[in-house]
Every structure is written in C-alpha cells, then in structure tokens.
Amino acid sequence: MARLRLGVLISGRGSNLQALVDAARAPDYPAEVALVISNEAGAAGLARAEVAGIPARLISHRQPGFEAMIDAALSDAGIGLVCLAGFMRVLSAAFVRRWHGRLINIHPSLLPAFPGLDTHRRALAAGAKATGCTVHFVSDAVDAGPIIAQSEVPVLPGDDEASLAARVLAAEHRLYPRVVRLIAEGRVHVDGDRVEIR
Ligand code: GAR
C-alpha cells in the first residue's frame, strides 16, 4: 500500500522531524516524510532534511502570501497529513479548515493543561507531579483540538526546566511516530471533540 505522505512544518531544532524521519526508515512504516517546510532560515531542522535527502522549503512568515505558499507547496507535493513539529506560528482559521482532519500538532504538556509557551516552567511553578506531551488535531484555537494521544512523564524532585524538557522531549520522540502510524493505518476516528482509536 502507498505510504502516507507527510508534510512536516518546523521553526527550529527539528528533533521531532528527526523522530519521524527515523521511524519512516523502517520498511513497514506506513508513512514517509515527503516535504519539510520551515518559516525560519536558521532552523537546524532544514539541515536534518538535507542530510535525509528530503525536499525542504524555506517559506518565511515575513513574506506576503506566506500561508498560501505553504498550502500550495503541501498540495503540490501530494501531502496527506501535515505534522506541526515545533512550528511556532499560529495558522489562520482558513488554513486550519482547509486541512481539517489532516493537520496535527505535538505540544509539550498534557493538554488542556499548559497550552502556549513555557510549559515546563509553568508545570514546575504549579508543583505538578506529572506532565508530558500531547498529539492533537489542530483546531482554530491555539493548542486545542481533539486529542489523539498523550504520554505522561513524572516531574522528579530536583527537576529544573532543562531536565524536565529533556524527559518530555524523549517522550515526544516516541509518541509522534506512534500517532502518525495509527493515522496512516486508518485507526484514528474523530467524533466531535473526541478521538477513538480502533
Ligand atoms: C517540541 O518540544 C514541541 O513539542 C514544541 O516545540 C518543541 C520543538 O522541538 N512545540 C510547541 O511548543 C508548539 N506549541 P523540535 O524542533 O526539536 O521538534
């Protein structure tokens, strides 16, 4: 069966992109990273794409028509699923509607706790005993939309932002490829605000 073609949108380091690229090396993985788009010229993830031999585009948000260019690039590449992976721009309601059900994001907290930025600092400040990461379909509210899967990690005594971020990031790298596999296998079904994995 044809593999699901992923378009991965990044703004920086690209370690979640790398996790998807690495997962897709397995011959039985049902998806492949077909296109990488960064809105930032300096994104380290662009170099990761180059090393992996994956087509990559720089589309700056400072350019007029930024979203239309992203949309066209994704459509031209025959992308079936758009994965936001540290993409630090909020996409318009029109874009979200156009890719409805085919647009997912990974966020470094257990949503609905700690949407937005500085999630680890806020989890520590709140005295949370656990945190983690969430993969969800994107809706037009920031860090919201039907939750597909979550992975929990403990907050340990002595943790600082860096140690907690590293623990959550390791969980992200396991979770994102797992969720993409489930979607590619047709096992993810959305019913209103809820997602059922069959
Ligand atoms: C990841 O922790 C991701 O969950 C987060 O940015 C980081 C990107 O790292 N995304 C968000 O905060 C989006 N709201 P990466 O570039 O190494 O994948």
Side-chain angles (χ1 to χ4, degrees):
M1 217 172 88
R3 298 165 103 200
L4 179 63
R5 291 173 67 76
L6 309 176
V8 182
L9 270 54
I10 61 166
S11 298
R13 177 177 56 186
S15 71
N16 278 290
L17 160 67
Q18 189 70 55
L20 293 170
V21 167
D22 292 346
R25 287 214 179 91
D28 66 343
Y29 194 76
E32 63 184 316
V33 181
L35 179 65
V36 173
I37 298 175
S38 173
N39 67 308
E40 295 286 1
L46 284 171
R48 295 179 189 269
E50 191 179 346
V51 167
I54 296 165
R57 293 273 310 270
L58 168 65
I59 302 179
S60 168
H61 55 276
R62 297 167 191 94
Q63 260 167 287
F66 162 65
E67 272 192 0
M69 289 172 76
I70 292 180
D71 182 57
L74 293 168
S75 299
D76 290 351
I79 297 305
L81 181 68
V82 180
C83 303
L84 306 184
F87 184 68
M88 303 314 264
R89 303 296 303 180
V90 175
L91 293 161
S92 72
F95 185 96
V96 169
R97 215 175 305 119
R98 181 158 155 67
W99 289 91
H100 178 79
R102 298 177 295 158
L103 176 59
I104 63 176
N105 180 45
I106 188 157
H107 180 78
S109 76
L110 296 176
L111 292 172
F114 310 121
L117 300 175
D118 296 326
T119 53
H120 307 306
R121 186 175 55 69
R122 287 188 290 144
L124 287 166
K129 297 296 184 201
T131 183
C133 53
T134 301
V135 178
H136 62 97
F137 285 108
V138 175
S139 71
D140 52 18
V142 175
D143 297 328
I147 291 171
I148 307 167
Q150 296 183 301
S151 173
E152 184 179 299
V153 306
V155 179
L156 299 176
D159 262 340
D160 59 14
E161 234 180 296
S163 62
L164 187 55
R167 193 173 309 121
V168 172
L169 192 65
E172 292 183 45
H173 297 162
R174 292 188 293 269
L175 186 66
Y176 218 0
R178 249 180 51 210
V179 169
V180 167
R181 172 187 280 280
L182 289 171
I183 292 173
E185 290 174 345
R187 296 173 58 195
V188 174
H189 301 271
V190 187
D191 179 11
D193 289 335
R194 290 174 178 237
V195 172
E196 195 191 325
I197 315 272
R198 292 184 195 144

